[in-house]
Amino acid sequence: MFELTPLPYSYNALEPHIDEATMRIHHDKHHNGYMTKLNATLEAHPKLADKSIEELLTDLNSVPEDIRTAVKNNGGGYYHHNIFWEMMAPNQTQVQGELAEAIKKTFGGFENFKEKFTKEASIHFASGWTWLVKDGNGEISILSTANQDSPISQGLTPIIGIDTWEHAYYLKYQNRRPEYVEAWWNVLNWEYANRIFNS
Ligand SMILES: [Fe+2]
């Protein structure tokens, strides 16, 4: 059975950028909902019980066809929120070392990267996510995914990512998604990103 881990900080820790009410509903209702549905889906398949969520999503073809879509959607939702909370932090951190170099090499500088990523996340026409991902060769790129489709199902490692489902921002920002994306940059956990890029 998969479990819901508490947030790594308090519900109001990301204020004023991400508000407490949104964090409570997002974690306790939405994240919890994905987990509950995932567990219900897997109940009739004890053989899959030993697999980690990463293993399930990395190799969706090994998941029986009758539950594959449910695992992709609810497993993706469960996993993405697990890492989304880790990708944010109340204290300001900075991109460093090899990741900073890779961003410079790939996008011509941090500001160019930020602009490109912000634009992509702001206009992404779907309930989904926008990510910075790393491929098997260590190359990085910006990727948007629909629904809860996961980069790890494509062999890509998410380094940072923003939830662009309306439930992630609507209480505070309503239809102003670009404002939410701008605010999110203030709470990015670059220590996490640096660590994942180097792993
Ligand atoms: Fe979400």
Side-chain angles (χ1 to χ4, degrees), residues 109-152:
F110 185 81
E111 285 308 313
N112 279 352
F113 160 66
K114 186 176 171 184
E115 195 182 318
K116 207 172 170 197
F117 190 102
T118 299
K119 196 172 170 196
E120 174 66 30
S122 299
I123 62 168
H124 180 34
F125 190 74
S127 292
W129 296 76
T130 296
W131 311 94
L132 177 69
V133 294
K134 178 177 84 162
D135 69 15
N137 298 319
E139 300 288 330
I140 54 171
S141 57
I142 296 169
L143 173 77
S144 284
T145 50
N147 306 313
Q148 295 295 354
D149 294 357
S150 190
I152 68 173

Side-chain angles (χ1 to χ4, degrees), residues 26 81 129 163 167:
H26 203 171
H81 290 88
W129 296 76
D163 190 342
H167 69 229

